[in-house]
Amino acid sequence: MQHQTETSALKEFPVLTVEVKNTSLYSDYPASIQGVQNIEIRPKVDGFIEKIYVDEGASVQKGQVLFKINAPQYEQEMRTAAAAIKSAEAEVGTARMQVEKVIPLVKEEIVSSYELETAKFILQTKEAALVQAKASLVNAHINIGYTTILSPVDGVIGGIPYKTGSLVTGSSLLPLTTVSAIKEVYAYFSVNEKQFLLFSETHAGITLEDKLQKLAPVSLILPTGVKYKEKGRVTTVNGLINTETGAVSFRATFPNALGIIRSGGSAIVRMQQEIPNALLVPQKATYEMQGKRFVYKLDEKNTANSTAIEVVEGVPGDFFVVQNGLKAGDRIVASGIANLKDGIKIKATTTSLQ
């Protein structure tokens, strides 16, 4: 009778027997988004912005006019170079006539061959001056071409810090704008050293490149909480661990044909992982103290004993994957552990993973 009274006085808790199961887990990582190409548009000539043909956020095509710079000094250079060419051509003509005049005189030995050689050297000098004048004209044409700034790629215009009339130079601190090619986007995210080692140990493949090729596609969770409809792939992993943060940088590539994702934004990369023979415990069956995680494991007399466990950190959802501290067949208190203390005997009610 006394035993029955003691049993009825025990508090009742749901108890779970730990089992080995094949499971699929996912991990979320904050990510920054960048276009596959982020090209700074900078002026190659000095001048005033005469016209801005695009607006911030506009989609542009390769070769489309973005800015017009007013740089009259280059037009003056072109006129000067054109005049220099005419002058040089006249001097070349005069020098050539002198050579032609001296040649018969040398043959008749009226003048020495020295006079002919001198005339030829003068002609070469004038021809070189003509070539230089033509090069100056070409350079002037090139500089005038630089006053019309075109988009180097298909993409989206970023911020435009300068307004019409602003003076810009090739050494200006800020670019005129940035064109981001976003038909594909990169999502950069980092994992800590422990997660990276777990990635290396649990994913199929021999080399890191092999593991990436066999890695399942990843998802992108937009800031609204909506999952982006296109899947991406993790394409590169930085070979070095950041000594300041202890993190390893990953890069995932996502298609973005409709331009929904913009460069400079943020999102969450979700990686799914298949784990064979995993020990799962409900997160509500665990508690944390002094940086360690614990469960209440039962002995054969249904006495709850606080037991430290190691789990895969950073995994969202309702369950933890246990790496150390438990084995298949162990019984743990599944919920309500806030009302438990170490060494208390309980009345066990069998439950299972939901």
Side-chain angles (χ1 to χ4, degrees), residues 13-44:
F13 288 88
V15 172
L16 174 70
T17 300
V18 179
E19 298 177 356
V20 172
K21 291 186 175 182
N22 295 334
T23 188
S24 176
L25 295 179
Y26 63 88
S27 301
D28 287 350
Y29 303 96
S32 60
I33 305 298
Q34 295 292 334
V36 172
Q37 289 179 290
N38 286 319
I39 302 173
E40 290 186 345
I41 307 299
R42 292 183 176 274
K44 293 184 178 180

Side-chain angles (χ1 to χ4, degrees), residues 216-231:
V218 295
S219 301
L220 194 69
I221 310 301
L222 301 178
T224 57
V226 176
K227 182 186 291 187
Y228 181 53
K229 66 176 183 178
E230 299 283 358
K231 292 282 189 177

Side-chain angles (χ1 to χ4, degrees), residues 19-239:
E19 298 177 356
V20 172
K21 291 186 175 182
N22 295 334
T23 188
S24 176
L25 295 179
Y26 63 88
S27 301
D28 287 350
Y29 303 96
S32 60
I33 305 298
Q34 295 292 334
V36 172
Q37 289 179 290
N38 286 319
I39 302 173
E40 290 186 345
I41 307 299
R42 292 183 176 274
K44 293 184 178 180
V45 294
D46 302 345
F48 296 92
I49 297 179
E50 181 178 306
K51 190 168 181 60
I52 300 173
Y53 292 92
V54 291
D55 201 357
E56 297 175 348
S59 296
V60 295
Q61 304 297 316
K62 181 178 180 180
Q64 182 174 337
V65 178
L66 306 180
F67 300 91
K68 177 68 176 177
I69 294 178
N70 182 5
Q73 67 271 26
Y74 299 113
E75 294 179 1
Q76 181 58 44
E77 284 181 5
M78 189 172 68
R79 287 192 290 269
T80 301
I85 289 174
K86 290 182 178 181
S87 176
E89 286 174 342
E91 292 183 359
V92 167
T94 301
R96 186 173 289 117
M97 289 173 61
Q98 183 64 24
V99 170
E100 293 172 352
K101 176 182 177 181
V102 172
I103 289 175
L105 297 177
V106 171
K107 288 180 179 180
E108 295 176 5
E109 297 183 350
I110 298 174
V111 298
S112 68
S113 60
Y114 175 79
E115 297 289 339
L116 178 59
E117 292 301 319
T118 300
K120 287 181 177 180
F121 283 135
I122 292 174
L123 174 59
Q124 290 175 358
T125 301
K126 299 303 183 181
E127 287 175 339
L130 177 59
V131 170
Q132 185 175 3
K134 289 181 177 180
S136 296
L137 182 62
V138 170
N139 288 335
H141 274 296
I142 291 173
N143 286 331
I144 287 178
Y146 287 150
T147 62
T148 301
I149 299 176
L150 310 178
S151 176
V153 294
D154 295 347
V156 175
I157 296 294
I160 302 177
Y162 301 105
K163 306 305 177 187
T164 301
S166 299
L167 174 64
V168 292
T169 68
S171 59
S172 295
L173 182 62
L174 297 175
L176 297 175
T177 190
T178 301
V179 178
S180 299
I182 58 171
K183 287 186 178 179
E184 284 188 327
V185 293
Y186 291 146
Y188 292 92
F189 62 100
S190 297
V191 303
N192 61 41
E193 186 175 0
K194 184 176 180 181
Q195 291 169 326
F196 177 68
L197 293 175
L198 181 64
F199 170 86
S200 301
E201 293 169 358
T202 57
H203 285 82
I206 300 174
T207 66
L208 188 56
E209 291 76 13
D210 191 25
K211 293 178 185 291
L212 290 180
Q213 289 179 359
K214 296 179 180 179
L215 190 64
V218 295
S219 301
L220 194 69
I221 310 301
L222 301 178
T224 57
V226 176
K227 182 186 291 187
Y228 181 53
K229 66 176 183 178
E230 299 283 358
K231 292 282 189 177
R233 298 203 69 89
V234 178
T235 50
T236 62
V237 177
N238 192 318

